[in-house]
Coordinates of all heavy atoms in Angstrom, one line a residue:
M17 N 121.3 68.1 136.0 CA 119.9 68.2 136.1 C 119.4 67.4 137.2 O 119.9 66.3 137.5 CB 119.3 67.7 134.7 CG 117.7 67.8 134.7 SD 117.1 67.3 133.1 CE 116.7 68.9 132.5
N18 N 118.3 67.8 137.9 CA 117.7 67.0 139.0 C 117.1 65.8 138.5 O 116.2 65.7 137.5 CB 116.6 68.0 139.6 CG 116.0 67.4 140.9 OD1 116.1 66.2 141.1 ND2 115.4 68.2 141.6
A19 N 117.5 64.6 139.1 CA 117.0 63.3 138.7 C 115.6 63.2 138.8 O 115.0 62.5 138.0 CB 117.7 62.2 139.5
A20 N 114.9 63.9 139.8 CA 113.4 63.7 139.9 C 112.7 64.3 138.7 O 111.5 64.1 138.6 CB 113.0 64.4 141.2
L21 N 113.4 65.3 138.0 CA 112.8 65.9 136.8 C 113.1 65.3 135.5 O 112.7 65.7 134.5 CB 113.1 67.4 136.9 CG 112.7 68.2 138.1 CD1 113.1 69.7 137.8 CD2 111.2 68.2 138.2
T22 N 114.0 64.2 135.5 CA 114.4 63.6 134.4 C 113.7 62.3 134.1 O 113.6 61.5 135.0 CB 116.0 63.2 134.4 OG1 116.6 64.5 134.6 CG2 116.5 62.6 133.1
E23 N 113.1 62.0 133.0 CA 112.4 60.8 132.6 C 112.8 60.6 131.1 O 113.0 61.5 130.3 CB 110.8 60.9 132.7 CG 110.4 61.1 134.2 CD 109.0 60.8 134.4 OE1 108.5 59.9 133.8 OE2 108.4 61.5 135.2
T24 N 112.7 59.3 130.8 CA 113.1 58.9 129.3 C 111.9 58.6 128.5 O 110.9 58.1 129.1 CB 114.0 57.6 129.4 OG1 115.1 57.8 130.1 CG2 114.4 57.1 127.9
T25 N 111.8 59.0 127.3 CA 110.6 58.7 126.5 C 111.2 58.4 125.1 O 112.5 58.5 124.9 CB 109.7 59.9 126.4 OG1 108.6 59.7 125.7 CG2 110.4 61.2 125.9
K26 N 110.3 58.0 124.2 CA 110.8 57.7 122.8 C 110.1 58.7 121.8 O 109.1 59.3 122.0 CB 110.3 56.3 122.4 CG 110.9 55.2 123.1 CD 110.4 53.9 122.5 CE 110.5 52.7 123.3 NZ 110.0 51.6 122.7
V27 N 110.8 58.8 120.7 CA 110.3 59.5 119.5 C 109.5 58.5 118.7 O 110.0 57.3 118.4 CB 111.3 60.0 118.6 CG1 110.8 60.7 117.3 CG2 112.2 61.0 119.4
G28 N 108.2 58.7 118.5 CA 107.3 57.9 117.8 C 107.2 58.2 116.3 O 108.0 58.9 115.8
K29 N 106.2 57.6 115.6 CA 106.0 57.9 114.2 C 105.7 59.3 114.1 O 105.0 60.0 114.9 CB 104.7 57.0 113.8 CG 104.9 55.6 113.8 CD 103.6 54.9 113.2 CE 103.9 53.4 113.2 NZ 102.7 52.7 112.8
R30 N 106.1 59.8 112.8 CA 105.9 61.2 112.5 C 106.6 62.2 113.6 O 106.2 63.3 113.7 CB 104.4 61.5 112.3 CG 103.8 60.7 111.2 CD 102.3 61.0 111.1 NE 102.2 62.5 110.7 CZ 101.0 63.2 111.1 NH1 100.1 62.6 111.8 NH2 101.0 64.4 110.8
G31 N 107.5 61.7 114.3 CA 108.3 62.6 115.2 C 107.5 62.9 116.6 O 107.9 63.8 117.3
T32 N 106.4 62.2 116.9 CA 105.7 62.4 118.1 C 106.5 62.1 119.3 O 107.3 61.1 119.3 CB 104.4 61.7 118.2 OG1 104.7 60.3 118.0 CG2 103.4 62.1 117.1
V33 N 106.5 62.8 120.4 CA 107.2 62.6 121.6 C 106.2 62.6 122.7 O 105.3 63.6 122.8 CB 108.3 63.6 121.9 CG1 108.9 63.4 123.2 CG2 109.3 63.7 120.8
V34 N 106.2 61.6 123.5 CA 105.2 61.6 124.6 C 105.9 62.2 125.9 O 106.9 61.7 126.3 CB 104.8 60.1 125.0 CG1 103.8 60.0 126.2 CG2 104.0 59.5 123.8
I35 N 105.3 63.2 126.4 CA 105.8 63.8 127.5 C 105.1 63.0 128.7 O 104.0 62.9 128.8 CB 105.5 65.3 127.7 CG1 105.9 66.0 126.5 CG2 105.8 65.8 129.0 CD1 105.5 67.5 126.4
P36 N 106.1 62.4 129.6 CA 105.6 61.6 130.8 C 104.5 62.3 131.5 O 104.5 63.6 131.7 CB 106.8 61.4 131.6 CG 107.9 61.4 130.6 CD 107.5 62.5 129.6
A37 N 103.5 61.5 132.0 CA 102.4 62.1 132.8 C 102.8 62.9 133.9 O 102.2 64.0 134.2 CB 101.5 61.0 133.3
S38 N 103.8 62.6 134.7 CA 104.2 63.4 135.9 C 104.7 64.8 135.5 O 104.4 65.8 136.1 CB 105.3 62.7 136.6 OG 106.5 62.5 135.8
L39 N 105.4 64.8 134.3 CA 105.8 66.2 133.8 C 104.7 67.0 133.2 O 104.6 68.2 133.5 CB 106.9 66.0 132.9 CG 108.3 65.5 133.4 CD1 109.1 65.3 132.2 CD2 108.9 66.5 134.4
R40 N 103.7 66.2 132.6 CA 102.5 67.0 132.2 C 101.7 67.6 133.2 O 101.3 68.7 133.2 CB 101.6 66.2 131.2 CG 102.3 65.7 129.9 CD 101.2 65.0 129.0 NE 100.5 64.1 129.6 CZ 100.6 62.7 129.6 NH1 101.8 62.2 129.0 NH2 99.8 62.0 130.2
R41 N 101.6 66.7 134.4 CA 100.9 67.3 135.5 C 101.6 68.5 136.2 O 101.0 69.5 136.5 CB 100.7 66.2 136.5 CG 99.5 65.2 136.2 CD 99.2 64.3 137.4 NE 100.2 63.5 137.7 CZ 100.6 62.2 137.1 NH1 99.7 61.8 136.3 NH2 101.6 61.6 137.6
R42 N 102.9 68.3 136.3 CA 103.7 69.3 137.0 C 103.6 70.8 136.2 O 103.5 71.8 136.8 CB 105.1 69.0 137.0 CG 106.1 69.9 137.7 CD 107.5 69.4 137.7 NE 108.4 70.4 138.4 CZ 108.8 70.3 139.5 NH1 108.6 69.2 140.3 NH2 109.6 71.1 140.0
Y43 N 103.6 70.6 135.0 CA 103.6 71.9 134.2 C 102.2 72.2 133.6 O 102.1 73.2 132.7 CB 104.6 71.9 133.0 CG 106.0 71.8 133.6 CD1 106.6 70.6 133.7 CD2 106.5 72.9 134.1 CE1 108.0 70.6 134.4 CE2 107.8 73.0 134.7 CZ 108.5 71.8 134.8 OH 109.7 71.8 135.5
G44 N 101.2 71.5 134.0 CA 99.8 71.8 133.5 C 99.5 71.6 132.1 O 98.8 72.3 131.4
L45 N 100.1 70.7 131.4 CA 100.0 70.5 130.0 C 98.8 69.5 129.8 O 98.8 68.4 130.3 CB 101.3 69.8 129.4 CG 102.5 70.7 129.5 CD1 103.7 69.9 129.1 CD2 102.3 72.0 128.8
K46 N 97.9 70.0 128.9 CA 96.7 69.1 128.6 C 96.8 68.7 127.2 O 97.5 69.4 126.4 CB 95.4 69.9 128.9 CG 95.2 70.5 130.3 CD 94.5 69.5 131.1 CE 94.3 70.3 132.5 NZ 94.4 69.4 133.6
E47 N 96.0 67.8 126.8 CA 96.0 67.4 125.3 C 95.6 68.6 124.5 O 94.8 69.4 124.8 CB 94.8 66.4 125.1 CG 94.8 65.8 123.7 CD 93.8 64.8 123.5 OE1 93.2 64.3 124.4 OE2 93.5 64.6 122.3
G48 N 96.3 68.8 123.4 CA 96.2 69.9 122.6 C 97.0 71.1 122.9 O 96.9 72.2 122.2
A49 N 97.7 71.2 124.0 CA 98.4 72.2 124.5 C 99.5 72.6 123.4 O 100.2 71.8 122.8 CB 99.2 72.0 125.8
L50 N 99.7 73.9 123.1 CA 100.6 74.4 122.3 C 102.1 74.4 122.9 O 102.2 74.8 124.1 CB 100.4 75.8 121.8 CG 99.1 76.0 120.9 CD1 98.9 77.5 120.6 CD2 99.3 75.2 119.6
M51 N 103.0 73.9 122.2 CA 104.4 73.9 122.7 C 105.3 74.6 121.7 O 105.1 74.6 120.5 CB 104.9 72.5 122.9 CG 104.0 71.6 123.8 SD 104.1 72.1 125.5 CE 105.7 71.6 125.9
I52 N 106.5 75.2 122.3 CA 107.5 75.7 121.4 C 108.6 74.7 121.4 O 109.1 74.4 122.6 CB 107.9 77.1 121.9 CG1 106.8 78.0 121.7 CG2 109.2 77.5 121.1 CD1 107.0 79.4 122.4
A53 N 109.1 74.3 120.3 CA 110.3 73.4 120.3 C 111.5 74.3 119.8 O 111.4 74.9 118.8 CB 110.2 72.2 119.2
E54 N 112.6 74.4 120.6 CA 113.6 75.3 120.3 C 114.9 74.5 120.4 O 115.3 73.9 121.3 CB 113.6 76.4 121.5 CG 114.7 77.5 121.3 CD 114.5 78.6 122.3 OE1 113.4 78.8 123.0 OE2 115.5 79.3 122.6
A55 N 115.8 74.8 119.4 CA 117.1 74.2 119.3 C 118.1 74.9 120.2 O 118.0 76.2 120.4 CB 117.7 74.3 117.9
C56 N 118.7 74.1 121.1 CA 119.7 74.6 122.1 C 121.0 73.9 122.0 O 121.1 72.7 121.5 CB 119.2 74.5 123.5 SG 117.6 75.2 123.8
P57 N 122.0 74.4 122.5 CA 123.3 73.8 122.4 C 123.2 72.2 123.1 O 123.8 71.3 122.7 CB 124.3 74.6 123.2 CG 123.7 75.9 123.1 CD 122.3 75.8 123.2
E58 N 122.3 72.2 124.1 CA 122.2 70.9 124.8 C 121.3 69.9 124.2 O 121.1 68.7 124.5 CB 121.8 71.2 126.3 CG 122.6 72.0 127.1 CD 122.5 73.5 127.0 OE1 121.4 73.9 126.3 OE2 123.3 74.3 127.5
G59 N 120.5 70.4 123.2 CA 119.5 69.6 122.6 C 118.2 70.4 122.2 O 118.4 71.4 121.7
I60 N 117.1 69.8 122.4 CA 115.8 70.4 122.1 C 115.1 70.9 123.4 O 114.8 70.0 124.2 CB 114.9 69.5 121.3 CG1 115.6 69.1 120.0 CG2 113.6 70.2 120.9 CD1 114.9 68.0 119.2
L61 N 114.8 72.1 123.5 CA 114.0 72.6 124.6 C 112.5 72.7 124.2 O 112.2 73.3 123.2 CB 114.5 74.0 124.9 CG 113.7 74.8 126.1 CD1 113.8 74.0 127.4 CD2 114.3 76.2 126.2
L62 N 111.7 72.0 125.0 CA 110.3 72.1 124.8 C 109.6 73.0 125.9 O 110.0 72.7 127.1 CB 109.5 70.8 124.8 CG 109.8 69.7 123.6 CD1 109.2 68.4 124.0 CD2 109.3 70.4 122.4
R63 N 108.8 74.0 125.6 CA 108.3 74.9 126.6 C 106.8 75.2 126.2 O 106.6 75.3 124.9 CB 109.1 76.1 126.8 CG 109.5 76.9 125.7 CD 110.5 77.9 126.1 NE 111.1 78.5 125.0 CZ 110.7 79.7 124.5 NH1 109.9 80.4 125.2 NH2 111.3 80.2 123.5
P64 N 105.9 75.4 127.1 CA 104.5 75.8 126.8 C 104.6 77.1 126.0 O 105.3 78.0 126.2 CB 104.0 75.9 128.1 CG 104.8 75.2 129.0 CD 106.2 75.3 128.6
A65 N 103.5 77.2 125.1 CA 103.4 78.4 124.3 C 102.0 79.0 124.7 O 101.1 78.2 125.1 CB 103.5 78.1 122.8
V66 N 101.8 80.3 124.5 CA 100.6 80.9 124.7 C 100.2 81.5 123.3 O 100.9 82.2 122.7 CB 100.6 82.0 125.7 CG1 99.4 82.7 125.9 CG2 101.0 81.5 127.0
A67 N 98.9 81.2 123.0 CA 98.4 81.8 121.7 C 97.1 82.7 122.1 O 96.2 82.2 122.8 CB 97.8 80.7 120.8
L68 N 97.2 83.9 121.7 CA 96.1 84.8 122.0 C 95.2 85.0 120.9 O 95.7 85.2 119.8 CB 96.6 86.2 122.6 CG 97.5 86.1 123.8 CD1 98.2 87.4 124.1 CD2 96.7 85.6 125.0
P69 N 93.9 85.2 121.0 CA 93.1 85.4 119.9 C 93.2 86.8 119.3 O 93.6 87.7 120.0 CB 91.6 85.3 120.4 CG 91.7 85.5 121.8 CD 93.1 85.0 122.2
V70 N 93.1 86.9 118.0 CA 93.4 88.1 117.3 C 91.9 88.6 116.8 O 91.2 87.8 116.2 CB 94.3 88.0 116.1 CG1 94.4 89.3 115.3 CG2 95.6 87.6 116.6
E71 N 91.6 89.9 117.1 CA 90.3 90.4 116.7 C 90.5 91.1 115.4 O 91.5 91.8 115.2 CB 89.8 91.5 117.7 CG 88.5 92.0 117.3 CD 87.8 93.0 118.2 OE1 88.5 93.1 119.4 OE2 86.9 93.6 118.0
I72 N 89.7 90.7 114.4 CA 89.7 91.3 113.0 C 88.6 92.2 113.0 O 87.5 91.9 113.2 CB 89.7 90.2 112.0 CG1 90.8 89.2 112.2 CG2 89.6 90.8 110.6 CD1 90.7 88.0 111.1
Y73 N 89.0 93.5 112.8 CA 88.0 94.6 112.8 C 87.3 94.7 111.4 O 87.9 94.7 110.4 CB 88.7 95.9 113.2 CG 89.2 95.9 114.5 CD1 90.7 96.1 114.7 CD2 88.5 95.7 115.6 CE1 91.2 96.0 116.0 CE2 89.0 95.7 116.9 CZ 90.4 95.8 117.1 OH 90.9 95.8 118.3
S74 N 86.0 94.9 111.5 CA 85.2 95.1 110.4 C 85.5 96.6 109.9 O 85.9 97.4 110.8 CB 83.7 95.0 110.6 OG 83.3 95.9 111.6
P75 N 85.1 96.9 108.6 CA 85.3 98.4 108.3 C 84.4 99.3 109.2 O 84.9 100.4 109.4 CB 84.7 98.4 106.8 CG 84.9 97.0 106.3 CD 84.7 96.0 107.6
E76 N 83.1 98.8 109.5 CA 82.4 99.6 110.5 C 83.2 99.9 111.8 O 83.1 101.0 112.4 CB 81.0 99.0 110.8 CG 80.2 99.0 109.6 CD 80.5 97.9 108.6 OE1 81.3 97.0 108.7 OE2 79.9 97.9 107.4
R77 N 83.8 98.9 112.3 CA 84.5 99.1 113.6 C 85.7 100.0 113.5 O 86.0 100.7 114.3 CB 84.9 97.7 114.1 CG 85.4 97.7 115.6 CD 84.4 98.0 116.5 NE 85.0 97.7 117.9 CZ 85.0 98.6 118.9 NH1 84.3 99.7 118.7 NH2 85.5 98.4 120.0
K78 N 86.4 99.8 112.3 CA 87.5 100.7 112.1 C 87.0 102.1 111.9 O 87.7 103.1 112.5 CB 88.2 100.3 110.8 CG 89.1 99.0 110.8 CD 89.5 98.7 109.4 CE 90.1 97.3 109.5 NZ 90.6 97.0 108.1
A79 N 85.9 102.4 111.3 CA 85.3 103.7 111.2 C 85.0 104.3 112.5 O 85.2 105.4 112.8 CB 84.1 103.7 110.3
E80 N 84.4 103.4 113.4 CA 84.1 103.9 114.6 C 85.4 104.4 115.5 O 85.4 105.4 116.2 CB 83.4 102.7 115.5 CG 82.8 103.1 116.7 CD 82.1 102.0 117.4 OE1 81.7 101.0 116.8 OE2 82.0 102.0 118.6
F81 N 86.5 103.5 115.4 CA 87.6 104.0 116.1 C 88.2 105.3 115.4 O 88.6 106.2 116.3 CB 88.8 103.0 115.8 CG 88.6 101.6 116.5 CD1 89.0 100.5 116.0 CD2 88.1 101.6 117.8 CE1 88.9 99.2 116.6 CE2 88.1 100.4 118.5 CZ 88.4 99.2 117.9
L82 N 88.1 105.4 114.1 CA 88.7 106.7 113.7 C 87.8 107.8 114.1 O 88.5 108.8 114.5 CB 88.5 106.5 112.0 CG 89.5 105.7 111.4 CD1 89.2 105.5 109.9 CD2 90.9 106.3 111.5
L83 N 86.5 107.7 114.1 CA 85.7 108.9 114.5 C 85.7 109.1 115.9 O 85.6 110.4 116.3 CB 84.2 108.6 114.0 CG 84.1 108.6 112.4 CD1 82.7 108.1 112.1 CD2 84.4 110.0 111.8
N84 N 85.9 108.2 116.8 CA 85.9 108.4 118.1 C 87.1 108.9 118.8 O 87.2 109.3 120.0 CB 85.3 107.1 118.9 CG 83.8 107.0 118.9 OD1 83.1 108.0 119.0 ND2 83.4 105.7 118.8
N85 N 88.3 108.8 118.1 CA 89.5 109.1 118.5 C 90.0 110.5 118.1 O 91.3 110.8 118.2 CB 90.5 108.0 118.3 CG 90.3 106.8 119.1 OD1 90.3 106.9 120.4 ND2 90.0 105.7 118.5
C86 N 89.2 111.3 117.6 CA 89.5 112.7 117.1 C 89.7 113.5 118.4 O 88.9 113.6 119.2 CB 88.5 113.1 116.2 SG 88.4 112.1 114.7
I87 N 90.6 114.5 118.3 CA 90.9 115.4 119.3 C 90.6 116.9 118.7 O 90.1 117.7 119.5 CB 92.4 115.4 119.7 CG1 92.6 114.0 120.5 CG2 92.6 116.5 120.8 CD1 94.0 113.8 120.7
T88 N 90.9 117.1 117.5 CA 90.8 118.5 117.0 C 89.7 118.4 115.8 O 89.5 117.2 115.3 CB 92.0 119.0 116.4 OG1 92.5 118.3 115.3 CG2 93.2 119.1 117.5
P89 N 89.2 119.5 115.5 CA 88.2 119.6 114.3 C 89.0 119.0 113.0 O 88.3 118.4 112.2 CB 87.8 120.9 114.2 CG 88.0 121.5 115.5 CD 89.1 120.8 116.1
E90 N 90.2 119.3 112.9 CA 91.0 118.8 111.8 C 91.2 117.3 111.7 O 91.1 116.7 110.7 CB 92.5 119.5 111.8 CG 92.5 121.0 111.5 CD 92.1 121.8 112.7 OE1 92.2 121.3 113.9 OE2 91.7 122.9 112.6
D91 N 91.4 116.7 112.9 CA 91.4 115.3 113.1 C 90.0 114.7 112.7 O 89.9 113.7 111.9 CB 91.5 114.9 114.6 CG 93.0 115.0 115.1 OD1 93.9 115.2 114.2 OD2 93.2 115.0 116.3
Y92 N 89.0 115.3 113.0 CA 87.7 114.8 112.8 C 87.4 114.9 111.3 O 86.9 113.9 110.7 CB 86.6 115.5 113.5 CG 85.2 115.0 113.3 CD1 84.8 113.9 114.0 CD2 84.3 115.6 112.4 CE1 83.5 113.3 113.9 CE2 83.0 115.1 112.3 CZ 82.7 113.9 113.0 OH 81.3 113.3 112.7
A93 N 87.8 116.0 110.6 CA 87.6 116.1 109.2 C 88.3 115.0 108.5 O 87.9 114.4 107.5 CB 88.0 117.5 108.7
W94 N 89.7 114.8 108.9 CA 90.5 113.7 108.3 C 89.7 112.4 108.5 O 89.7 111.5 107.5 CB 91.8 113.7 108.9 CG 92.7 112.6 108.5 CD1 93.4 112.5 107.3 CD2 92.9 111.3 109.2 NE1 94.1 111.3 107.2 CE2 93.7 110.6 108.3 CE3 92.3 110.8 110.3 CZ2 94.0 109.2 108.7 CZ3 92.7 109.6 110.7 CH2 93.5 108.7 109.9
A95 N 89.2 112.0 109.7 CA 88.6 110.7 110.0 C 87.3 110.6 109.1 O 87.1 109.5 108.6 CB 88.2 110.6 111.4
V96 N 86.6 111.6 108.9 CA 85.4 111.6 108.1 C 85.8 111.1 106.7 O 85.2 110.3 106.1 CB 84.7 112.9 108.1 CG1 83.6 113.0 106.9 CG2 84.0 113.2 109.4
E97 N 86.8 111.8 106.1 CA 87.3 111.4 104.8 C 87.8 110.0 104.7 O 87.5 109.2 103.8 CB 88.4 112.4 104.3 CG 87.9 113.7 103.9 CD 86.7 113.7 103.0 OE1 86.9 113.0 102.0 OE2 85.7 114.3 103.3
E98 N 88.5 109.6 105.8 CA 88.9 108.2 105.8 C 87.8 107.1 105.9 O 87.8 106.1 105.2 CB 89.8 107.9 107.0 CG 91.2 108.6 107.0 CD 92.0 108.0 105.7 OE1 92.2 106.8 105.6 OE2 92.5 108.9 105.0
V99 N 86.8 107.4 106.6 CA 85.6 106.6 106.7 C 84.9 106.6 105.3 O 84.4 105.5 104.9 CB 84.6 107.1 107.8 CG1 83.2 106.5 107.7 CG2 85.3 106.9 109.2
R100 N 84.8 107.6 104.6 CA 84.3 107.7 103.2 C 85.1 106.9 102.3 O 84.5 106.1 101.5 CB 84.1 109.2 102.8 CG 83.0 109.9 103.5 CD 82.7 111.2 102.8 NE 81.7 111.9 103.5 CZ 81.7 113.1 104.0 NH1 82.7 113.9 103.8 NH2 80.6 113.6 104.6
R101 N 86.3 106.9 102.5 CA 87.3 106.0 101.6 C 87.0 104.6 101.9 O 87.3 103.7 101.1 CB 88.7 106.3 101.9 CG 89.2 107.5 101.2 CD 90.7 107.7 101.3 NE 91.1 109.0 100.9 CZ 91.6 109.9 101.7 NH1 91.9 109.6 103.0 NH2 91.9 111.2 101.3
L102 N 86.5 104.2 103.1 CA 86.1 102.8 103.5 C 84.9 102.4 102.8 O 84.4 101.3 102.9 CB 86.2 102.6 105.0 CG 87.4 102.8 105.7 CD1 87.2 102.7 107.2 CD2 88.3 101.5 105.4
G103 N 84.2 103.4 102.1 CA 82.9 103.1 101.5 C 81.8 103.2 102.5 O 80.8 102.7 102.1
L104 N 82.0 104.0 103.5 CA 80.9 104.1 104.6 C 80.4 105.6 104.8 O 81.3 106.4 104.4 CB 81.4 103.6 105.8 CG 81.9 102.1 106.0 CD1 82.5 101.8 107.2 CD2 80.7 101.2 105.7
D105 N 79.3 105.7 105.2 CA 78.7 107.1 105.5 C 79.0 107.4 107.0 O 78.5 106.6 107.9 CB 77.2 107.1 105.2 CG 76.6 108.5 105.4 OD1 77.3 109.4 106.0 OD2 75.4 108.6 105.2
P106 N 79.8 108.3 107.3 CA 80.1 108.6 108.7 C 78.8 108.8 109.5 O 78.8 108.5 110.8 CB 81.0 109.8 108.7 CG 81.5 109.9 107.3 CD 80.5 109.3 106.4
A107 N 77.8 109.4 108.9 CA 76.5 109.7 109.7 C 75.9 108.3 110.2 O 75.1 108.3 111.1 CB 75.5 110.3 108.8
N108 N 76.2 107.2 109.6 CA 75.6 105.9 110.0 C 76.5 105.1 110.9 O 76.2 104.0 111.3 CB 75.4 105.1 108.8 CG 74.4 105.7 107.8 OD1 73.5 106.4 108.3 ND2 74.5 105.4 106.6
I109 N 77.7 105.8 111.3 CA 78.6 105.0 112.4 C 78.4 105.7 113.7 O 78.4 106.9 113.9 CB 80.0 105.2 111.8 CG1 80.3 104.8 110.4 CG2 81.0 104.7 112.8 CD1 80.1 103.3 110.2
P110 N 78.1 104.9 114.7 CA 77.8 105.3 116.0 C 79.2 106.0 116.6 O 80.2 105.2 116.6 CB 77.4 104.0 116.9 CG 77.7 102.9 116.0 CD 77.9 103.4 114.6
H111 N 79.2 107.3 116.9 CA 80.3 107.9 117.5 C 79.7 109.2 118.0 O 78.6 109.7 117.9 CB 81.3 108.1 116.4 CG 81.0 109.1 115.4 ND1 80.1 108.8 114.3 CD2 81.3 110.4 115.2 CE1 80.0 109.8 113.6 NE2 80.8 110.9 114.1
E112 N 80.7 109.7 118.9 CA 80.4 111.0 119.5 C 81.2 112.1 118.7 O 82.4 112.1 118.7 CB 80.8 111.1 121.0 CG 80.0 110.1 121.7 CD 80.0 110.6 123.2 OE1 80.3 111.7 123.6 OE2 79.8 109.6 124.0
R113 N 80.4 113.0 118.1 CA 81.1 114.1 117.4 C 81.7 115.0 118.3 O 81.3 115.3 119.4 CB 80.0 114.8 116.5 CG 79.5 114.0 115.5 CD 78.6 114.7 114.5 NE 79.4 115.8 114.0 CZ 79.1 116.4 112.8 NH1 78.1 116.0 112.1 NH2 79.9 117.3 112.3
L114 N 82.8 115.7 117.9 CA 83.4 116.8 118.6 C 82.3 117.9 118.8 O 81.7 118.2 117.9 CB 84.7 117.2 117.9 CG 85.8 116.4 117.9 CD1 87.0 116.9 117.1 CD2 86.3 116.1 119.2
K115 N 82.4 118.5 119.9 CA 81.5 119.7 120.3 C 81.7 120.8 119.2 O 80.8 121.5 118.9 CB 81.6 120.2 121.6 CG 81.2 119.1 122.6 CD 81.2 119.5 124.0 CE 80.7 118.6 124.9 NZ 80.8 117.8 125.7
D116 N 82.8 121.1 118.7 CA 83.2 122.1 117.8 C 82.5 121.9 116.4 O 82.4 122.7 115.5 CB 84.6 122.4 117.6 CG 85.2 122.8 118.9 OD1 84.6 123.6 119.6 OD2 86.4 122.5 119.1
N117 N 82.0 120.6 116.1 CA 81.5 120.2 114.8 C 80.0 120.1 114.8 O 79.4 119.6 115.6 CB 82.1 118.9 114.3 CG 83.6 119.1 114.1 OD1 84.1 120.0 113.3 ND2 84.4 118.2 114.6

């Protein structure tokens, strides 16, 4: 390993490990950054993690997806029934109806 990239640190209370400032700067790690700790044959590998927000769709948004993604009249009829199963009125959901309907 390159000596310039090696620094010694301690394990603190509750298993906390302080990553030296020079390495935090080098890898853009800020307070609260998510990290992945992975067991390796050589020891423990720490690497930055990325967390992406997850959108949770409301029943109305699901209904909009169903109704707007129809290709055939049969698809549209199926989507209308699915929207009704969600407890919603398809007429109250903003969408573009197929021209054949």
Side-chain angles (χ1 to χ4, degrees):
M17 179 178 258
N18 185 339
L21 297 178
T22 303
E23 294 196 38
T24 302
T25 189
K26 288 187 197 179
V27 176
K29 291 182 182 180
R30 299 181 57 214
T32 58
V33 175
V34 175
I35 300 171
S38 61
L39 292 173
R40 290 194 314 268
R41 281 191 297 274
R42 179 181 181 104
Y43 293 99
L45 301 174
K46 306 268 187 217
E47 182 180 348
L50 294 176
M51 302 290 293
I52 296 171
E54 183 177 335
C56 300
E58 299 85 12
I60 300 168
L61 171 65
L62 291 176
R63 54 192 168 99
V66 176
L68 301 174
V70 175
E71 183 177 352
I72 298 175
Y73 298 117
S74 68
E76 291 79 10
R77 187 73 170 128
K78 289 177 188 177
E80 188 178 341
F81 287 144
L82 287 168
L83 294 167
N84 278 323
N85 287 301
C86 299
I87 298 171
T88 66
E90 293 79 20
D91 286 343
Y92 187 79
W94 174 84
V96 165
E97 287 307 311
E98 289 298 310
V99 169
R100 287 188 179 129
R101 281 193 195 111
L102 291 171
L104 301 170
D105 181 355
N108 294 332
I109 302 298
H111 69 283
E112 292 198 28
R113 292 187 61 152
L114 290 176
K115 293 184 174 103
D116 295 326
N117 290 312

